[in-house]
């Protein structure tokens, strides 16, 4: 398949190389001509502009820093919109805003061009090796048609919903990643100031129940399927553990804003009379205040997801 | 009726000086200099806490924490070595309500009454006789203390039973402490958007966000970089910590309280626990990259 690829930075170069290795004919473009050298010597064609790149390809992929760069390659006489034939899809692998990709989708739809947001996760190493997630939002039929191309770049390509859904998934994922890192920083600074060696503390935490699990596994058996009674671990006991931990933070003088917020959540849940329910009942407060009904997920369906990746 | 005053620091000294305008006092402090400031104005110096307890029917205390109160009453050479039944102890410390109730119960077994009567309004308010006094006491004990408290300030409020004065003081300090750091953050927001902090304060004072910190606290900080003296970050943190603990005991999710406490902990770590409370502005400036402290 003849494919256009714009943006050959740390992420883009790995993904473009994967497409070439899979036998696709690439046309490449980047604001830095030198970034394309490796790809061109491996057989890719160079295009002087996004518009030139777009002519004669079956799909275009972009991997760019953010919203302004994506808008810049779309617009103008030399932009993608000027060059793309109706029906030729554009997959944007950049991390973009949800409103931005929806607006771009609507603008391109007027030219008959399917636009899909397809942000990725896995870092430069994953982009090079193919151990990569691609979360795709947009037209399902287009996703299905280009599935083999996506699979050539990533072992975890997922259709997640209509336009913008890929970006929602990516932003939620990165938000979790950030808050988890902050939580680790709080816990480690408390533990180290309380006298543990950093590496011993880190190794100890990795050996615990949460340490052994993959990051998101913790909620699969209880909160997701709404399986909160009877408890395996009662909320009142977790409340006690967190109380002891933040008392330790007090004693050693470590500011712990996230932990305090989590403790306040649990206090609120105890006030609801949930002390003997499962500890994850506390998470239902957030669901309630988001205005969401119980998710109504079947435990078997959740287990199937656990087995798929 | 002989009255004693123990703890003559910034606040206790000011309260004792005010009380001394109408009542003869016997005083005690570990600091000679603090004692002299009262004896120069006519107070009698007690040789020890035991001597003071022997001489006085009503004993005021104003110390840094409840732990100091416990030591002054029950510790070696403390008041309890000589306390007589019928003595009234009035604790003006910003204390821990639970600890205050515990000490009151221990003293009640010996026929001694302890009530709490912390204050809010600063040393200047104490000297001027305008300070707010919040009393935790049984009604009869409150009636007994009231004429003496009125000689400190007419603004005496009976908050409830023993410990209620300390609870109310913690409620007060959490609200004023949170107001202080939130105001500082807002001034950083204004300043980094090109509005001089002095102008922002002037505008806020005329609008709906007017508060006591804007009115009485922030001026020297934004005008002259003067962070003041006395009340430290650590003491502020202690009060807010006690408030959050009381909240926890009452089953209240202390979202704002806990965040406020962590902001003071952060300020203590950044600029030093013994720095004056308004040096939280230095910490805010450092984390926000702002310039709300004049001359910084």
């Amino acid at each position: 398949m003849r494919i256009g690829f714009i943006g050959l930075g740390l992420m883009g170069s790995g993904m473009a190389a994967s497409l070439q290795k899979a036998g696709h004919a690439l046309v490449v473009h980047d604001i830095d001509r030198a970034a394309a050298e490796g790809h061109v010597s491996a057989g890719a064609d160079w295009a002087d502009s996004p518009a030139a790149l777009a002519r004669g390809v079956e799909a275009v992929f972009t991997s760019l820093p953010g919203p302004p760069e994506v808008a810049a390659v779309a617009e103008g006489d030399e932009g993608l919109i000027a060059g793309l034939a109706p029906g030729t899809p554009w997959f944007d692998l950049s991390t973009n805003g949800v409103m931005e990709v929806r607006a771009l989708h609507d603008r391109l739809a007027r030219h008959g061009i399917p636009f899909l947001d397809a942000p990725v996760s896995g870092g430069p190493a994953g982009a090079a090796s193919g151990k990569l997630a691609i979360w795709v939002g947009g037209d399902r039929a287009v996703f299905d048609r280009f599935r083999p191309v996506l699979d050539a770049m990533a072992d975890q390509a997922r259709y997640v919903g209509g336009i913008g859904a890929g970006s929602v998934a990516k932003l939620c994922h990165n938000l979790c990643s950030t808050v988890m890192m902050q939580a680790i920083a709080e816990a480690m600074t408390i533990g180290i100031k309380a006298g543990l060696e950093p590496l011993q503390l880190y190794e100890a935490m990795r050996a615990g129940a949460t340490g052994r699990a993959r990051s998101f596994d913790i909620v699969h058996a209880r909160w997701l399927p709404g399986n909160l009674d009877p408890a395996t671990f009662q909320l009142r006991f977790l409340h006690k553990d967190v109380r002891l931990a933040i008392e330790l933070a007090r004693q050693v003088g470590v500011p712990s804003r996230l932990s305090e917020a989590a403790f306040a959540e649990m206090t609120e849940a105890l006030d609801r009379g949930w002390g003997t329910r499962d500890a994850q009942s506390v998470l239902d407060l957030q669901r309630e205040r988001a205005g969401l009904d119980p998710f109504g997920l079947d435990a078997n369906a959740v287990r199937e997801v656990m087995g798929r990746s | 009726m002989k009255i004693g005053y123990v703890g003559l620091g910034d606040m206790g000294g000011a309260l004792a000086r005010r009380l001394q305008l109408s009542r003869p006092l016997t005083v005690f402090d570990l600091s000679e200099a603090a004692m002299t400031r009262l004896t120069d104005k006519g107070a009698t110096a007690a040789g020890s806490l035991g001597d003071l307890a022997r001489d006085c029917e009503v004993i005021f205390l104003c110390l840094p924490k409840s732990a100091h109160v416990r030591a002054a009453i029950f510790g070696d050479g403390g008041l309890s070595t000589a306390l007589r039944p019928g003595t009234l102890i009035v604790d003006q410390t910003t204390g821990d309500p639970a600890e205050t109730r515990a000490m009151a119960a221990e003293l009640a077994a010996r026929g001694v009454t302890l009530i709490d009567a912390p204050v809010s309004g600063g040393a200047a308010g104490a000297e001027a006789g305008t300070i707010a006094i919040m009393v935790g006491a049984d009604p009869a004990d409150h009636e007994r203390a009231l004429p003496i408290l009125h000689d400190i300030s007419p603004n005496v409020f009976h908050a409830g039973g023993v410990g209620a004065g300390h609870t109310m003081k913690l409620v007060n300090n959490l609200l004023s402490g949170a107001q202080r750091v939130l105001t500082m953050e807002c001034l950083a927001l204004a300043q980094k958007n090109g509005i001089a902090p002095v102008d922002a304060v002037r505008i806020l004072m005329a609008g709906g966000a007017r508060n006591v910190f804007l009115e009485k606290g922030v001026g020297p900080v934004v005008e002259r970089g003067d962070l003041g003296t006395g009340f430290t970050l650590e003491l502020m943190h202690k009060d807010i910590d006690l408030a959050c603990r009381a909240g926890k005991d009452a089953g209240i999710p202390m979202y704002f309280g806990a965040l406020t406490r962590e902001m003071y902990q952060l300020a203590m770590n950044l600029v030093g626990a013994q720095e004056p409370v308004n040096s939280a502005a230095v910490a805010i400036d450092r984390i926000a990259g702002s310039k709300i402290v004049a001359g910084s």
Side-chain angles (χ1 to χ4, degrees):
Chain A
M1 206 178 275
R2 188 167 170 81
I3 294 165
F5 205 109
I6 302 175
L8 301 164
L10 281 176
M11 295 300 294
S13 61
M15 293 187 278
S18 296
L19 291 178
Q20 287 183 285
K21 270 182 231 145
H24 295 292
L26 280 203
V27 188
V28 296
H29 178 76
D30 192 282
I31 49 166
D32 177 13
R33 176 77 167 81
E37 271 168 23
H39 301 285
V40 171
S41 56
D45 291 333
W46 168 259
D48 282 328
S49 70
L53 172 140
R55 292 181 191 112
V57 297
E58 291 171 66
V60 168
F61 288 82
T62 50
S63 178
L64 299 165
E69 292 81 7
V70 175
V73 301
E75 305 295 339
D77 291 345
E78 299 291 292
L80 280 175
I81 294 171
L84 278 170
T88 310
W90 172 7
F91 292 85
D92 181 22
L93 304 161
S94 320
T95 297
N96 208 330
V98 176
M99 293 304 141
E100 284 84 347
V101 298
R102 287 184 180 151
L104 198 52
H105 171 270
D106 292 350
R107 169 151 168 61
L108 286 158
R110 292 200 291 274
H111 297 269
I113 301 165
F115 179 82
L116 297 92
D117 60 322
V120 305
S121 178
S129 70
K131 288 206 166 90
L132 194 69
I134 304 184
W135 296 298
V136 183
D139 186 334
R140 172 94 210 205
V142 175
F143 170 83
D144 288 340
R145 187 147 53 91
F146 286 87
R147 180 77 200 239
V149 179
L150 295 163
D151 286 344
M153 292 189 282
D155 62 352
Q156 298 286 346
R158 291 268 190 286
Y159 180 80
V160 286
I163 183 67
S167 303
V168 172
K170 164 88 185 194
L171 296 175
C172 289
H173 172 274
N174 281 19
L175 185 61
C176 274
S177 158
T178 303
V179 177
M180 286 174 184
M181 282 195 301
Q182 287 295 141
I184 292 170
E186 260 187 31
M188 286 207 57
T189 50
I190 293 165
I192 294 165
K193 227 174 161 188
L196 267 68
E197 292 297 329
L199 200 56
Q200 281 176 355
L201 174 61
Y202 181 67
E203 183 170 0
M205 291 201 299
R206 278 194 85 239
T210 298
R212 287 164 186 265
R214 282 176 51 176
S215 309
F216 289 91
D217 289 5
I218 194 166
V219 296
H220 86 275
R222 288 296 188 167
W223 185 54
L224 279 191
N227 173 27
L228 300 169
D229 305 284
T232 39
F233 185 56
Q234 293 182 14
L235 179 66
R236 61 198 173 112
F237 297 126
L238 188 63
H239 185 267
K240 181 252 321 177
D241 290 356
V242 175
R243 175 172 58 76
L244 293 173
I246 61 180
E247 278 173 11
L248 178 64
R250 285 292 68 64
Q251 288 156 19
V252 296
V254 175
S256 3
R257 289 181 293 195
L258 279 181
S259 309
E260 289 289 356
F263 184 68
E265 296 276 349
M266 279 190 283
T267 303
E268 191 177 332
L270 285 191
D271 283 350
R272 296 282 290 268
W274 295 351
T276 57
R277 303 186 76 198
D278 194 80
Q280 288 188 20
S281 59
V282 65
L283 306 178
D284 260 1
L285 291 175
Q286 175 64 18
R287 180 185 57 68
E288 285 182 7
R289 64 171 88 94
L292 292 175
D293 291 330
F295 302 150
L297 295 177
D298 174 58
N300 290 324
V302 177
R303 268 196 294 278
E304 273 174 41
V305 166
M306 306 294 290
R308 274 207 291 272
S309 68
Chain B
M1 179 170 35
K2 293 189 79 171
I3 298 172
Y5 211 109
V6 176
L8 308 169
D10 279 345
M11 184 54 75
L15 291 165
R17 278 191 294 280
R18 179 71 196 182
L19 187 54
Q20 190 168 235
L21 297 178
S22 38
R23 310 256 181 178
L25 285 189
T26 302
V27 296
F28 184 81
D29 193 282
L30 293 174
S31 154
E32 280 290 332
M35 292 261 267
T36 306
R37 283 196 287 274
L38 270 293
T39 52
D40 280 355
K41 300 241 169 73
T44 306
S48 69
L49 286 169
D51 289 350
L52 185 139
R54 239 180 313 279
D55 280 356
C56 300
E57 297 149 70
V58 178
I59 301 170
F60 282 77
L61 298 165
C62 189
L63 298 167
K65 298 183 188 188
S66 286
H68 301 95
V69 174
R70 178 169 280 285
I73 297 173
F74 299 104
D76 285 346
L79 295 168
S80 67
T81 52
L83 277 175
R84 291 165 298 158
T87 303
L88 173 66
I89 299 177
V90 181
D91 182 10
Q92 299 207 279
T93 306
T94 298
D96 175 351
E99 178 65 355
T100 299
R101 282 190 289 267
M103 289 190 284
E106 288 168 58
L107 288 166
R110 308 171 48 167
V112 173
T113 302
L114 181 144
I115 69 173
D116 44 316
V119 296
S120 177
E127 301 268 13
T130 57
I131 203 159
I133 305 177
M134 29 207 121
V135 182
D138 288 344
D141 297 329
H142 174 68
E143 287 305 315
R144 183 177 165 200
L146 195 55
I148 311 173
L149 294 173
H150 273 155
D151 286 338
I152 297 175
S153 166
N155 296 318
V156 180
F157 300 90
H158 186 205
V162 176
H166 280 158
T167 300
M168 204 54 228
K169 176 66 195 278
L170 296 178
V171 170
N172 177 82
N173 281 19
L174 171 55
L175 187 52
S176 66
Q179 184 173 271
R180 176 186 286 106
V181 285
L182 178 57
T183 301
M184 287 171 175
E185 183 172 291
C186 289
L187 291 176
L189 171 63
Q191 188 272 322
K192 283 196 90 174
N193 282 282
I195 303 149
V198 282
D199 294 335
V201 168
R202 201 162 40 84
I203 295 164
L204 289 169
M205 278 293 291
R210 181 187 183 120
N211 66 49
V212 171
F213 177 65
L214 283 169
E215 203 173 333
K216 293 183 176 170
V218 79
V221 178
V222 296
E223 288 159 17
R224 307 187 294 280
D226 176 2
L227 302 170
T229 54
F231 196 66
T232 62
L233 285 170
E234 186 174 44
L235 286 171
M236 186 80 251
H237 178 269
K238 184 256 309 183
D239 291 354
I240 294 174
D241 186 43
L242 286 171
C244 289
R245 284 169 197 268
K248 181 192 72 189
D249 292 345
I252 299 163
M254 300 292 286
Y255 289 106
F256 291 100
L259 186 56
T260 303
R261 176 172 65 185
E262 299 318 298
M263 289 305 293
Y264 280 102
Q265 177 73 61
L266 185 152
M268 285 162 66
N269 292 7
L270 277 179
V271 305
Q274 300 309 318
E275 295 300 312
V277 67
N278 281 348
S279 52
V282 176
I284 296 276
D285 273 351
R286 205 173 298 171
I287 57 182
S290 53
K291 286 187 194 309
I292 58 179
V293 180
S296 63

